[in-house]
Amino acid sequence: MFHRLIGRVILMFLVLGTLLALVACTAAPVTPTSVPTLLPTPTPMVASDCPSVTQGTQLLTNEESGYCLLYPDGYTPVDPLPGEVCFVPGDTSMECHSANLIIEMENANGRTPSQIADELIAEAETAGPGIEIQRTDLTVSGEQAVMLEGVPGVDASRIVVLIHADRLYRLMFVPWDETREEFTGVENLYNTAIDSFTFLR
């Protein structure tokens, strides 16, 4: 009798243990503590302010001199010296000797475009007393600029001087002569370059 009682108690414990195990299995799972995933910090991207290439143009970006601009198809940029870029029509075998646009960049040393223009005019008048030079104020890439025509040189030219961040930019378009056959192309080069000229920094 005692053995039967012990057997029933053991059986009850077994049944109770089985029930507890079943309950534990069906209980709601414990949600693990979630650790947020750290995404890599994106590198700041600065949108380029350079003009978009349009039909018939190409983009020149001159990081060293701090500017970019568009120029018409058919020209080849040549950089013979630091701070200088020439735009040569077609073949580059002549380098800057046949260029229709020469861009030079140098330190402005605190001077303004007006002061630079005064210096160029004074030099021209010293070389050719009584010479007439046309002077026009304009704005290029948000900066004051001065355009000069009639400055003596190897060929007739139109010169634009402007300053940004104490850097002097001199753009010389040659030959600037309406009687010349290539004048239409040079005029188009002038309009394209001046309208799109943009400072990078």
Side-chain angles (χ1 to χ4, degrees), residues 99-123:
N100 289 149
L101 168 59
I102 301 171
I103 302 178
E104 298 173 338
M105 187 277 290
E106 62 185 73
N107 197 319
N109 294 318
R111 294 172 295 174
T112 66
S114 182
Q115 290 172 328
I116 299 294
D118 290 342
E119 292 174 8
L120 291 173
I121 292 173
E123 291 173 4

Side-chain angles (χ1 to χ4, degrees), residues 47-111:
S48 174
D49 291 328
C50 289
S52 300
V53 174
T54 58
Q55 184 175 4
T57 67
Q58 298 184 56
L59 175 66
L60 171 78
T61 301
N62 190 326
E63 295 282 355
E64 181 181 354
S65 295
Y67 68 87
C68 58
L69 56 77
L70 297 177
Y71 62 94
D73 288 342
Y75 281 93
T76 302
V78 180
D79 51 351
L81 299 170
E84 180 176 314
V85 176
C86 303
F87 292 82
V88 182
D91 189 8
T92 62
S93 60
M94 294 293 290
E95 293 190 347
C96 287
H97 301 297
S98 60
N100 289 149
L101 168 59
I102 301 171
I103 302 178
E104 298 173 338
M105 187 277 290
E106 62 185 73
N107 197 319
N109 294 318
R111 294 172 295 174

